[in-house]
Amino acid sequence: MKKFSFVVDVVADDLDRDSVVDSIRSCLSDSLPSDVHANVKAGEVKAFSEQGYKVWRARVTGVTAEQAGDAHDSKVEAEAVA
């Protein structure tokens, strides 16, 4: 017998954690053979700053701020100060 572990990150402004756990559990029970035992539990919640989210998104999903269109533009800020 072997134990396999998987990590799932879900990023949202607000989320019903119990519903997500139930959804994953239901999906696994519908998809896996009957002799497979799976345990699903909610983990920690980490609050991202805007910059922290952008760094996570770039590292994990490969979508950079430039690609997403939400990169900081120092020229716009400099013009506002002038």
Side-chain angles (χ1 to χ4, degrees):
M1 196 59 77
K2 297 177 186 174
K3 176 186 167 193
F4 299 87
S5 295
F6 301 89
V7 175
V8 177
D9 291 326
V10 179
V11 178
D13 287 327
D14 193 29
L15 194 66
D16 182 351
R17 295 172 64 192
D18 292 333
S19 293
V20 173
V21 167
D22 291 342
S23 295
I24 294 171
R25 187 177 290 129
S26 175
C27 180
L28 290 173
S29 66
D30 293 346
S31 303
L32 296 174
S34 61
D35 63 339
V36 174
H37 303 282
N39 179 48
V40 180
K41 62 182 177 179
E44 68 178 89
V45 175
K46 177 182 179 179
F48 280 126
S49 64
E50 182 179 352
Q51 182 64 25
Y53 166 68
K54 290 177 182 179
V55 170
W56 175 87
R57 181 183 62 196
R59 289 182 180 167
V60 176
T61 69
V63 177
T64 65
E66 290 79 16
Q67 292 169 327
D70 58 4
H72 175 72
D73 187 354
S74 60
K75 292 180 184 178
V76 172
E77 187 174 299
E79 290 174 6
V81 173

